[in-house]
Amino acid sequence: MPPAIIVEHVSKEFILRHNRAMGLKTRFLGLFHKNKREKREHFLALDDVSFTLEQGEALGLLGHNGSGKSTLLQIIAGILQPSKGRVIANGRVAPLIQLGVGFNPELTGYENIFLNASLYGFLNKEVKKRVKSIIEFSELEHFIDTPLKNYSSGMQMRLGFAVAVNLQPDILLADEILAVGDQAFQDKCLDKIAEMRKNGMSLILVSHSQEQVSKFCDHFIRLERGVMLENGSIGEAWE
Amino acid sequence: MPNPIAATFRPYWQYRDLVRNLVIKDLKVRYQGAVLGFFWSLGNPLALILLYDFVFTHIFRSDLPNYILYLVIGVLHYNLFSQAVSQSCESLTSASGLIQKIYFPRILVPTSSLLFTLALWVIAIFILVILYPFLGGIYHWGLLLYPLALGLYIAFIWGIVLTFSVLQVELRDLKHLVDIALMFGFWFTPIGYDIHVLKPTTREIISLNPLTQFMDLFHALLYAGTLPALNHVLIASAWTIGTVTVGMILFRRKARHLVEDL
Ligand SMILES: Nc1ncnc2c1ncn2[C@@H]1O[C@H](COP(=O)(O)OP(=O)(O)O)[C@@H](O)[C@H]1O
Ligand SMILES: [Mg+2]
């Protein structure tokens, strides 16, 4: 079986644009005023990161704020292009960088399920087959035909999570999404992820909580200012 | 390896329901279920037509027979262009929330913005279909070519829509300039007047406007009841190839890194 994800020497350089000229007008002014001109600075957010995730494995991504975890996840999801190196993914990748991407407050919960799922490349007829289990999992049967603007933020997250997990991805990329919602639903989400893992799903989990990572993951990677500091398996030595 | 053309389009075809859902979302949000709101979208072109009819019959005299029909055809088709182009400028920048969080073919964002405008426009075109016989429209076989002319026009607009949606990411005030240009564009297009009444030099300037060529196709088919002149068809096709090529190349080069500048 080929690995689920291969990350090969991935680097990502952002161009920080101080004083960014947002329009023609500011560009024009920049011709005359030196201090209004845009200054560019190169910033290395990821520096030569390599790892392999075998199918069915779970990897925890640890690191301080700004260490490049989200950037790495966005590159694996194909949202960002790496400046160097490459990523090979075998299977359907579902990024969960935010729950309920594309949710619109004016549409009903039901309509939003279809909109959100089609962003993951699903056809409406495929979603129809799953819509019942999505609604069931979200525990929002009574509200599903009311506009999303009447939902609490916790309810919206429940719906977003219900869609994402019921699309049965091969590889789930979760970016600190489990730190939200009430405890009961959070536990339900974690149970669901554990169940999907048992059925062979691969997982990359970004988390602040060392405890969560040790509970869920076989391996971990620690990033520090874009550099991979540690890369190991979670064994007895882990604390 | 199966058909390479099919292989190129498969990733987009996979997302066809995304385009549909985005267009339906925009329609629902715009009208929030109010059926009346839908008919208000007719109000704008109707008011415009009444205004221009007043201006062109009472202030500048026009000798064109069935003048209102001539005018309606021009206004409706110009509206399609101006609304699509103006809308689409901000299509990518306002979809930044999606683009930063999930991967899908980016070209679908400006494309569904265009389709949304088109969906509204189809309602407006109903006015024309209903009024057509009363305004002196001629039923002839050439009308069957109208969908082809419209398709060519939509492709031409699509190329511009792609181009401007990408440029707007770099130049955030582009939409303001485009909106002003669209206001001027109306008068540089033979919509309320016949190009043949102009002085030769003015006529040449107006002919440089690609919309003039398209208006000629629509006026020939829908107003004069004839087939358009071949040279107009060729020039319009050349413009279409031009805008689509520029739009596609620009989009291909910029789309991958777009997300970092949103
Ligand atoms: N689009 C961008 N343009 C410029 N810099 C960025 C961009 N996205 C992220 N960065 C920078 O890259 C670094 C890593 O960010 P991120 O991956 O979000 O960190 P983490 O998720 O580990 O907190 C940060 O310093 C951030 O400012
Ligand atoms: Mg982050």
Side-chain angles (χ1 to χ4, degrees), chain A residues 12 22 24 27 111 121 124, chain B residues 14 17 28 172-173 260:
Chain A
K12 180 67 193 176
M22 293 300 276
L24 275 170
R27 267 160 210 251
E111 292 165 332
N124 288 349
Chain B
Q14 171 71 34
D17 277 351
K28 279 186 179 151
R172 296 298 167 107
D173 48 8
E260 289 163 44

Side-chain angles (χ1 to χ4, degrees), chain B residues 230-246:
Chain B
L230 186 64
N231 66 323
H232 291 291
V233 178
L234 292 178
I235 298 173
S237 307
W239 274 108
T240 302
I241 293 169
T243 62
V244 171
T245 310
V246 169

Side-chain angles (χ1 to χ4, degrees), chain B residues 19-31:
Chain B
V19 174
R20 185 207 301 206
N21 293 347
L22 285 174
V23 171
I24 291 176
K25 175 208 71 177
D26 282 340
L27 287 171
K28 279 186 179 151
V29 169
R30 169 77 69 93
Y31 296 113

